[in-house]
Amino acid sequence: MAHFYLQETLRAAQCRPGVVVSVDGAEARHAVTVSRVRPGDRLRVGNGAGLLLQGTVLTAEALVLTLRVDDASETAAVTPRIRLVQALAKGDRDELAIQAATELGVDGVIPWAAARSITKWEGPKIAKGHERWISIVREASKQSIRAWLPGVAPLASTKQLAVLAATTRMLLLDPTASGRLTEVAAPTDDRDILLVVGPEGGISPAELLLLEQAGATQVRLGDTVLRTSTAGPAALAILNATLGRW
C-alpha cells in the first residue's frame, strides 16, 4: 500500500469504515494516469488535518476515484509545534531544507528574507515562490505519509520574526554560539519552537542582535559548519529526540 493521496475536504465524522469517499482533481488524475491505480487497489488517503484512511478503490477515472473505507484513524496535533524559519538561499538549497524537514516531521515552515539572502522574492516572485514551497511541502508530506500537512507562512522579514520571538521559543542556529542545541532543556510550556536558519552567509550580526533582544536564543549544532540545506533538518532531528517524538 505505497500510494498516499490528500483530499482536504474529507471530514472525520463522515469517514467511518464501509463509507464510500471520493478523491478528485489533480490527486485523482495523478493516481489514475500516472500511478495507474485501478479498482481493487488499496490506497491511503488523508485530509492533512489528522485523518488517515485505508481503503479499496471502487472506481478509477481521470477526474475522480472512489474508494470504500476499510479503516480510519485520527492523529492529534502535537504540542509544542516545531516550525522551521528557513532563509531564502540560492540554487535549491532552501527547497532541499524544507523538503527534508517536512519528511522529518516539521509542523510549519516560514520563508525568511534574510539580510544575506542572495535569492530574493520580489513582485510576482513572492506568490510564485510561496506556491512552490507549498507544493514541495505537500509532496514531501505525501511521500512520508504524514497525517498533518505543515503550513507554509507568508514571506517574513527580520522585523516580523522579532515580533514572533516574543511569543515563541525561538532558537537561532549559529555556528559561533556558545550553547549547543543538545543542551537546550525540553520545554515546559506549549509555545511554538521556531528554528531559525540563515542563508549561505549566515545570520548577520545585526539580525542576531535584534532577534536576541526580542527573546531569541543562539545555539549551535556542533563544531562544524553545516549548509543552509542541512542545518534545519539536523536540528529538527535533535528536537524530535528531545521532545520524545522519536
Side-chain angles (χ1 to χ4, degrees), residues 18-142:
V19 170
V20 175
V21 300
S22 299
V23 176
D24 56 25
E27 292 289 88
R29 186 162 54 252
H30 185 274
V32 175
T33 63
V34 178
S35 298
R36 303 295 182 182
V37 169
R38 295 293 182 262
D41 290 347
R42 299 191 69 216
L43 304 179
R44 288 189 178 99
V45 179
N47 68 352
L51 177 67
L52 286 179
L53 307 177
Q54 296 183 15
T56 303
V57 176
L58 300 178
T59 63
E61 300 180 5
L63 296 179
V64 62
L65 64 83
T66 61
L67 68 155
R68 183 189 66 248
V69 176
D70 299 324
D71 183 68
S73 63
E74 287 188 83
T75 301
V78 297
T79 55
R81 296 189 305 166
I82 304 174
R83 291 192 283 166
L84 174 64
V85 179
Q86 176 62 52
L88 302 184
K90 65 181 180 181
D92 60 354
R93 289 175 182 166
D94 50 8
E95 296 180 356
L96 289 172
I98 64 170
Q99 179 184 40
T102 299
E103 294 175 11
L104 291 170
V106 79
D107 302 303
V109 173
I110 302 175
W112 174 31
R116 292 175 174 172
S117 289
I118 296 174
T119 295
K120 305 292 183 183
W121 287 3
E122 298 173 334
K125 287 186 178 180
I126 296 176
K128 184 178 180 180
H130 189 254
E131 287 300 318
R132 169 70 177 165
W133 280 34
I134 289 175
S135 176
I136 291 169
V137 167
R138 182 184 177 87
E139 291 307 309
S141 295
K142 289 167 60 178

Side-chain angles (χ1 to χ4, degrees), residues 112-205:
W112 174 31
R116 292 175 174 172
S117 289
I118 296 174
T119 295
K120 305 292 183 183
W121 287 3
E122 298 173 334
K125 287 186 178 180
I126 296 176
K128 184 178 180 180
H130 189 254
E131 287 300 318
R132 169 70 177 165
W133 280 34
I134 289 175
S135 176
I136 291 169
V137 167
R138 182 184 177 87
E139 291 307 309
S141 295
K142 289 167 60 178
Q143 188 278 329
S144 49
I145 312 180
R146 291 195 51 178
W148 286 87
L149 178 65
V152 180
L155 179 67
S157 66
T158 303
K159 288 184 178 180
Q160 288 171 323
L161 291 188
V163 174
L164 289 175
T167 59
T168 64
R169 194 181 192 194
M170 183 175 287
L171 302 175
L172 311 175
L173 299 184
D174 187 90
T176 66
S178 57
R180 296 175 181 266
L181 180 58
T182 51
E183 299 169 342
V184 173
T188 57
D189 55 44
D190 291 337
R191 286 182 301 161
D192 282 5
I193 298 173
L194 267 59
L195 288 171
V196 181
V197 178
E200 297 86 345
I203 305 173
S204 73

